């Protein structure tokens, strides 16, 4: 079946303004492929959640929310929707990026403003980080995404001022993930530390590649929108479905209570402490996978 999304949804014209530098059918096809992967990952993560007790599904639900949001965003971009033409600061002679206006997908940033805080929740809850630190890290992350969006929509050189703000925010997030949260994860035992290190290193490595993609596409108009689709698409594929697989596999034998996440099911007594049993023996200094868990209370997070 041919891909007619570009024709059906107005081609390279939106709100009466035409874009000179925009995706072709090849870029749209790639967006459809990533949309399919995100959708499949969402169904898989939700399906896997039913293999765990309800109080243990928090990471499955957060991760499924990430890929579901991304699936909708990629559906939008594959359909050639959710973009606006912005005047190009750097005029290029290359025919693939030559023109006055470039197609900027603002829906990509709507995706990120939802999914990056959720990814940080996955990571920082795994580390058992205190809630004030988690909330402030998410705020800085939102600054990073919003400044990226504003910079992409600015046609003058002032866009690079927003780029600098965004990069500064990225370094602040990276500091909390690589240093502060890592120490908290290490205190919870080698199994928690291992899954945190794997997912944290993957996330921060990939997140530092996003500013490069931004500079080559929305910022500098160096690569064509089809190449932009591939660059961002591969990063999102690794940062969301692959991250989710790694995270959920690492959490398969970790009780959320060890991380300070005391989640009561409807058929359990109401109170600050669970009855003596499976969920609380790890949090009360018991053993898990041959390691001793530190005593943790709900007030630690």
């Amino acid at each position: 079946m041919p891909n007619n999304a570009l024709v059906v949804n107005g081609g390279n014209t939106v709100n009466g303004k035409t874009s000179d530098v925009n995706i072709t059918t090849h870029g749209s096809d790639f967006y459809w492929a990533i949309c399919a992967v995100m959708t499949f990952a969402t169904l898989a993560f939700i399906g896997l959640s039913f293999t765990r007790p309800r109080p243990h599904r928090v990471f499955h639900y957060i991760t499924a929310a990430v890929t579901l949001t991304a699936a909708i965003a990629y559906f939008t971009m594959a359909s050639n929707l959710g973009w606006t033409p912005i005047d190009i600061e750097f005029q290029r002679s290359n025919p693939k990026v030559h023109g006055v206006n470039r197609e900027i997908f603002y829906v990509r940033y709507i995706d990120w403003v939802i999914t990056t805080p959720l990814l940080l929740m996955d990571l920082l809850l795994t580390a058992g980080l205190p809630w004030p630190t988690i909330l402030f890290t998410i705020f800085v992350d939102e600054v990073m995404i919003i400044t990226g969006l504003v910079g992409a929509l600015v046609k003058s050189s002032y866009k690079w001022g927003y780029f600098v703000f965004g990069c500064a925010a990225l370094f602040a997030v990276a500091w909390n993930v690589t240093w502060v949260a890592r120490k908290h994860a290490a205190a919870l035992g080698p199994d928690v530390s291992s899954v945190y290190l794997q997912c944290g290193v993957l996330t921060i490595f990939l997140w530092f590649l996003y500013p490069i993609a931004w500079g080559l596409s929305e910022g500098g108009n160096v690569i064509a929108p089809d190449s932009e689709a591939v660059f961002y698409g591969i990063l999102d594929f690794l940062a969301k479905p692959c991250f989710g697989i790694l995270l959920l596999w690492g959490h398969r034998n970790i009780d959320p209570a060890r991380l300070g996440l005391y989640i009561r099911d409807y058929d359990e007594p109401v109170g600050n402490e669970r009855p003596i049993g499976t969920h609380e023996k790890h949090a009360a200094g018991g053993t898990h996978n041959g390691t001793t868990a530190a005593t943790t209370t709900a007030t630690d997070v």
Side-chain angles (χ1 to χ4, degrees), residues 23 27 30-31 96 102 213 217 222-233:
I23 62 169
F30 188 81
Y31 280 137
K96 292 185 177 180
R102 182 183 175 105
S217 51
V222 176
I223 61 176
D226 285 350
S227 300
E228 171 190 334
V230 174
F231 201 158
Y232 280 132

Side-chain angles (χ1 to χ4, degrees), residues 50-189:
F50 289 102
T51 66
R52 306 296 301 276
R54 273 187 294 269
H56 290 203
R57 296 176 185 176
V58 57
F59 292 100
H60 291 77
Y61 290 158
I62 293 174
T63 308
V66 169
T67 51
L68 175 59
T69 304
I72 297 170
Y74 273 91
F75 174 88
T76 305
M77 292 185 288
S79 302
N80 200 38
L81 300 170
W83 64 273
T84 188
I86 298 296
D87 290 352
I88 297 172
E89 178 188 1
F90 299 103
Q91 302 287 330
R92 308 289 182 183
S93 58
N94 184 340
K96 292 185 177 180
V97 291
H98 178 72
V100 176
N101 301 310
R102 182 183 175 105
E103 179 182 55
I104 301 296
F105 281 105
Y106 58 80
V107 71
R108 191 191 310 280
Y109 297 87
I110 297 175
D111 168 359
W112 291 343
V113 85
I114 297 171
T115 57
T116 56
L118 292 174
L119 290 167
L120 286 174
M121 287 280 286
D122 265 341
L123 273 176
L124 302 183
L125 288 178
T126 297
L129 207 61
W131 274 106
T133 308
I134 292 177
L135 293 175
F136 184 74
T137 305
I138 288 174
F139 164 75
V140 176
D141 169 73
E142 298 283 15
V143 170
M144 177 181 72
I145 301 303
I146 293 171
T147 53
L149 171 60
V150 175
L153 298 178
V154 170
K155 64 181 181 179
S156 70
S157 61
Y158 280 76
K159 67 168 66 226
W160 299 103
Y162 291 100
F163 178 78
V164 171
F165 281 120
C167 287
L170 173 59
F171 277 102
V173 170
W175 170 260
N176 276 344
V177 171
T178 59
W179 182 253
V180 179
R182 179 178 58 82
K183 293 193 295 182
H184 281 76
L188 294 175

Side-chain angles (χ1 to χ4, degrees), residues 11 16 26 34 37 60 80-81 143 147 189 246 249 288 299:
H26 298 298
I34 298 297
V37 171
H60 291 77
N80 200 38
L81 300 170
V143 170
T147 53
L246 196 62
W249 176 256
H288 184 80
T299 58

